[in-house]
Amino acid sequence: MSTTIAVTPSSRAFISDNMAGASPQIARAVTEAAVGQVLPYGNDPFTDSARRRLSEIFERDVDVFPVSTGSAANGLSLAALTPPWGSVLAHPDSHINHDECGAPEFFTGGAKLVGVPGPDSKIDPEALQAAVRRRAGDVHSVQPSAVSISQATESGSVYTLEEIRGLSAIAKDAGLRIHMDGARFTNALDHLGASPAEMTWKAGIDVLSFGATKNGAMTADAIVSFDPSLATELAFRAKRAGQLASKMRFHAAQIDAYLTDGLWLHNARQANAMATRLGDGLKAIPGTGLLATPQANILFCRLPQQVTEGLLAEGYAFYHDRWEPGIVRFVTAFSHSADDIDQLVDAVRRHTH
């Protein structure tokens, strides 16, 4: 069932960071890519440039497959790592489990998603240690084949480098591969102050769903593979799934511009800083309660019903009561300003009295 929401002023839009438009640099890059003739299907200078930039930031040669959605990136990545009789171990709160309409099962040809619990939407190492060996070798059961972690998670928490390395070691010891859902990859990177290489292949990640749409791009994400042996399969799977765009230059131009002059990092820093500012403002208001200090650009808090109703009446857009009564989620974006956040905080304060 779809939900239609009226157009919301950007200053009052906090449902998700994909409500934001595109960075002007990226919009210009798409316009510039529309001029002239180039070869189709990724055989163009824009795709070559995006691939070079991604290899530079990850400090090694990588295989890159631009796609139109994060769900496609996740599904195709997991399909390359998991046989139809396999299972993907992921946190129950993960996007692949809750918000992709069975896409991982579809792309893998039937592999099963198996929830592995843990606090703050992060997989618990002890729970994973048990899950990777559960019924291994039993022909009557799906076989643990891959682990998928979300960085940042759906609740806004961020795995530390030590946590990623620990989970990867458990998986690799049992013969499983590791996928990272990086829809908000750069937001997590900014929080940790780590390098892309440290947060991925150096920590054991085999394939990354590299998110850009939520952080300033228009219609482009990418699969980044650190394992050359997966390149051929990913290429054929991308084509078969309708993700080898004829005019790939428009996807690639977005990614190329996104990675130029640090735009991707600037946008994530802005979004994260606005979530921190919002959290600091809400903590100073009696009657509100943060569920956790935001580590990326997602903030969960508890608001009185009259505050929620008052904000909605003023035109603010955000998720509420999806998890439990009184729980509200605000997601900040690269396009939010300090004034936008201060106005939201002032509105919460007004409605608490």
Side-chain angles (χ1 to χ4, degrees), residues 8-353:
T8 303
S10 59
S11 61
R12 299 190 177 190
F14 294 92
I15 285 179
S16 180
D17 33 11
N18 58 17
M19 287 190 76
S23 291
Q25 299 94 319
I26 292 174
R28 283 197 299 270
V30 172
T31 300
E32 291 167 3
V35 178
Q37 304 283 319
V38 299
L39 290 172
Y41 302 113
N43 299 300
D44 60 81
F46 304 96
T47 303
D48 287 342
S49 181
R51 187 178 294 112
R52 284 196 303 272
R53 289 190 192 278
L54 284 164
S55 293
E56 288 171 4
I57 71 168
F58 284 105
E59 304 173 39
R60 60 174 289 173
D61 288 338
V62 295
D63 293 303
V64 178
F65 304 89
V67 294
S68 59
T69 69
S71 292
N74 286 339
L76 291 169
S77 297
L78 292 170
L81 301 178
T82 317
W85 57 87
S87 63
V88 177
L89 309 180
H91 196 280
D93 293 342
S94 64
H95 198 272
I96 62 172
N97 189 45
H98 269 304
D99 296 290
E100 295 188 350
C101 195
E105 294 92 333
F106 171 77
F107 281 111
T108 59
K112 186 175 182 178
L113 292 182
V114 174
V116 183
D120 301 322
S121 299
K122 297 194 287 186
I123 293 173
D124 176 74
E126 291 187 9
L128 182 63
Q129 188 76 64
V132 296
R133 302 190 184 281
R134 187 170 295 124
R135 303 192 72 173
D138 183 350
V139 74
H140 300 284
S141 177
V142 290
Q143 296 299 287
S145 301
V147 175
S148 180
I149 65 173
S150 302
Q151 183 73 330
T153 72
E154 291 299 298
S155 65
S157 59
V158 173
Y159 285 95
T160 66
L161 297 183
E162 183 179 3
E163 287 172 332
I164 298 172
R165 289 192 291 262
L167 295 177
S168 295
I170 292 170
K172 296 295 175 68
D173 184 59
L176 278 66
R177 312 297 289 279
I178 306 289
H179 164 255
M180 177 179 282
D181 178 356
R184 295 184 175 92
F185 179 85
T186 316
N187 302 93
L189 200 70
D190 172 65
H191 173 74
L192 293 179
S195 73
E198 289 172 331
M199 203 170 78
T200 54
W201 63 270
K202 288 186 176 180
I205 302 300
D206 294 299
V207 182
L208 165 70
S209 296
F210 182 76
T213 301
K214 293 180 185 293
N215 195 39
M218 297 168 66
T219 57
D221 293 312
I223 298 168
V224 178
S225 175
F226 306 106
D227 183 349
S229 71
L230 299 173
T232 298
E233 180 173 354
L234 281 167
F236 279 102
R237 285 189 176 277
K239 172 60 178 177
R240 191 166 181 262
Q243 290 298 319
L244 180 62
S246 172
K247 294 186 178 181
M248 185 66 81
R249 59 170 143 170
F250 294 112
H251 286 343
Q254 294 178 59
I255 296 169
D256 193 40
Y258 181 63
L259 298 172
T260 299
D261 297 329
L263 176 63
W264 60 304
L265 297 169
H266 173 272
N267 283 0
R269 290 188 188 112
Q270 177 67 13
N272 285 4
M274 294 304 95
T276 298
R277 188 181 188 94
L278 177 58
D280 290 343
L282 293 177
K283 284 190 290 188
I285 301 175
T288 66
L290 268 61
L291 271 62
T293 300
Q295 295 183 323
N297 62 320
I298 300 175
L299 181 149
F300 280 85
C301 66
R302 191 178 298 277
L303 293 181
Q305 185 62 28
Q306 76 271 14
V307 176
T308 296
E309 292 175 356
L311 293 176
L312 294 172
E314 289 190 26
Y316 281 96
F318 51 92
Y319 281 129
H320 56 95
D321 298 329
R322 290 186 83 193
W323 298 269
E324 60 179 271
I327 299 299
V328 164
R329 188 188 81 167
F330 294 112
V331 182
T332 53
F334 71 94
S335 56
H336 283 127
S337 68
D339 284 344
D340 296 334
I341 302 305
D342 293 344
Q343 289 174 22
L344 172 57
V345 173
D346 287 343
V348 172
R349 185 177 292 110
R350 279 190 284 104
H351 290 295
T352 55
H353 299 297

